[in-house]
Amino acid sequence: MPELPEVETIRWELGKKILNKRIFRVEIFPDSRGIRFLGSYSPADFQQKLTGRTIKDVRRRGKYLLFSFDSESILAIHLGMTGKLLYRPADTPADKFVRMKFVLSNGYEIRFADPRKFGKMFIISPTDDKLMESLGPEPLSPSFTVDYLQKVLSRHRKKIKEVLLDQKIIAGIGNIYSDEILFRAKIHPERSACSLLQEEIFLLFSAMQEILRAAIVARGTTAGDRQYLNTTGKPGKFQYRLQVYQRRGQECLRCGRVIVSKKFGGRSGYFCPQCQV
DNA sequence: ATTGGGACCTGCTCGC
DNA sequence: TGCGAGCAGGTCCCAA
């Protein structure tokens, strides 16, 4: 699924292309049922709110993309697992699984394609923004420090893997990067968060910074069945640098022991049973 | 309060 | 070759 680095890549690409472009038309397709229009907006309200608006800013918060306009409304998009935002010239052949599209004034359109329909799209107001407020801090922001991480981990007894995945604690990390971060920090995913020693917390913090930054530079990870693609339909490059995710049965690149996987609350986690302690 | 598990979705892989 | 079962997982929701 698109996690922080993938969403950041999309934000960066779109930001260069659609600023000050006007939304000429909003098309919502019949099979867009799965797009959850949260809040009190119906699809028709949604179209009305956005049609004719000029895009003024594209930001990211956690795994959400936030579009600002020449109005009070903010469009928030969560890509779920399989969501893509494809930026195409309007005369380009149709893409599969497009649930919604924004036709822009410059002859291009943004196509929201989402085979598994886990994506969400909704309108929020800058002043009443409960969802964004409920998100934890951005792990790459200057205010996210080792001290902060230590404080937050000491408050939770649950597994460190679960803590990394909890968007209310830290925003933007999903299954792929939580595995990679824990592997790099040599921490077992089932360790209780509050049991981590100061040294380990420092390693965890460093691993988080390094991996997320490297993944952004690599323009994200296209792995597994998620088939993340950027706005031009191209894959990322970080999958070539994965150390542990989806390497079950293969040798650990650090110690040679066989990588194992285990279910953590419905999702699979990969780790080395020898060097992650 | 915290924690855990199921539901939502559907394309894809695997085994018989 | 065909078909059904199972898997993938972010977030919401409910129960213990």
Side-chain angles (χ1 to χ4, degrees):
Chain A
M1 121 94 204
E3 304 179 31
L4 188 155
E6 290 76 31
V7 180
E8 180 62 21
T9 299
I10 294 168
R11 182 208 63 76
W12 179 75
E13 291 179 353
L14 282 182
K16 294 188 299 182
K17 294 166 181 167
I18 64 172
L19 286 197
N20 297 316
K21 301 297 183 289
R22 203 168 61 86
I23 295 179
F24 181 70
R25 193 170 67 241
V26 178
E27 289 179 36
I28 301 174
F29 293 78
D31 60 352
S32 64
R33 181 177 50 82
I35 300 178
R36 292 123 216 242
F37 300 97
L38 300 193
S40 52
Y41 297 107
S42 68
D45 292 335
F46 201 88
Q47 283 171 314
Q48 197 203 355
K49 280 265 177 197
L50 297 178
T51 302
R53 290 300 166 198
T54 299
I55 300 163
K56 285 299 183 186
D57 196 13
V58 185
R59 288 172 294 136
R60 181 191 59 76
R61 178 79 174 93
K63 300 174 189 172
Y64 291 89
L65 274 171
L66 303 172
F67 294 74
S68 301
F69 304 95
D70 55 344
S71 68
E72 282 299 294
S73 300
I74 291 175
L75 169 66
I77 300 178
H78 193 297
L79 296 171
M81 278 177 64
T82 54
K84 300 167 190 64
L85 283 177
L86 299 166
Y87 182 74
R88 308 277 204 206
D91 56 5
T92 311
D95 291 285
K96 291 172 83 172
F97 310 118
V98 173
R99 314 293 181 193
M100 179 181 227
K101 68 165 78 157
F102 300 99
V103 182
L104 303 182
S105 54
N106 62 350
Y108 281 74
E109 51 191 39
I110 300 170
R111 301 172 181 175
F112 179 70
D114 186 15
R116 229 164 287 182
K117 297 181 179 174
F118 273 28
K120 286 180 295 190
M121 216 180 264
F122 44 94
I123 290 169
I124 55 182
S125 110
T127 50
D128 179 24
D129 191 355
K130 289 193 204 73
L131 183 77
M132 293 303 130
E133 282 164 17
S134 75
L135 292 177
E138 289 290 325
L140 296 182
S141 76
S143 59
F144 188 88
T145 60
V146 185
D147 286 347
Y148 173 83
L149 184 61
Q150 180 160 30
K151 203 185 303 174
V152 119
L153 294 184
S154 69
R155 286 207 304 263
H156 293 277
R157 256 186 306 176
K158 60 180 172 180
K159 298 182 179 87
I160 182 63
K161 163 112 175 151
E162 305 285 338
V163 169
L164 293 183
L165 289 173
D166 190 335
Q167 303 302 300
K168 294 183 182 65
I169 300 175
I170 302 168
I173 297 174
N175 208 29
I176 298 178
Y177 296 109
S178 62
D179 280 0
E180 291 297 313
I181 288 166
L182 288 170
F183 177 81
R184 184 167 186 124
K186 301 185 184 174
I187 296 169
H188 195 286
E190 297 187 278
R191 282 279 297 283
S192 165
C194 62
S195 78
L196 296 190
L197 307 173
Q198 189 149 16
E199 228 175 81
E200 294 174 316
I201 295 171
F202 183 76
L203 282 175
L204 182 65
F205 177 83
S206 307
M208 205 181 289
Q209 302 290 311
E210 289 160 9
I211 285 175
L212 292 177
R213 286 181 200 283
I216 291 172
V217 171
R219 305 269 177 270
T221 303
T222 302
D225 73 337
R226 301 147 211 253
Q227 301 172 351
Y228 155 76
L229 299 173
N230 70 5
T231 58
T232 54
K234 295 206 179 73
K237 292 196 170 73
F238 198 73
Q239 61 274 22
Y240 303 118
R241 297 174 59 183
L242 294 176
Q243 304 283 295
V244 70
Y245 179 74
Q246 286 195 331
R247 294 195 67 246
R248 176 179 53 215
Q250 299 178 45
E251 287 179 3
C252 171
L253 297 170
R254 211 157 40 201
C255 74
R257 181 84 178 261
V258 172
I259 298 294
V260 301
S261 76
K262 189 173 175 180
K263 287 277 181 190
F264 298 96
R267 50 201 63 85
S268 52
Y270 299 83
F271 61 96
C272 172
Q274 180 157 284
C275 59
Q276 285 177 257
V277 294

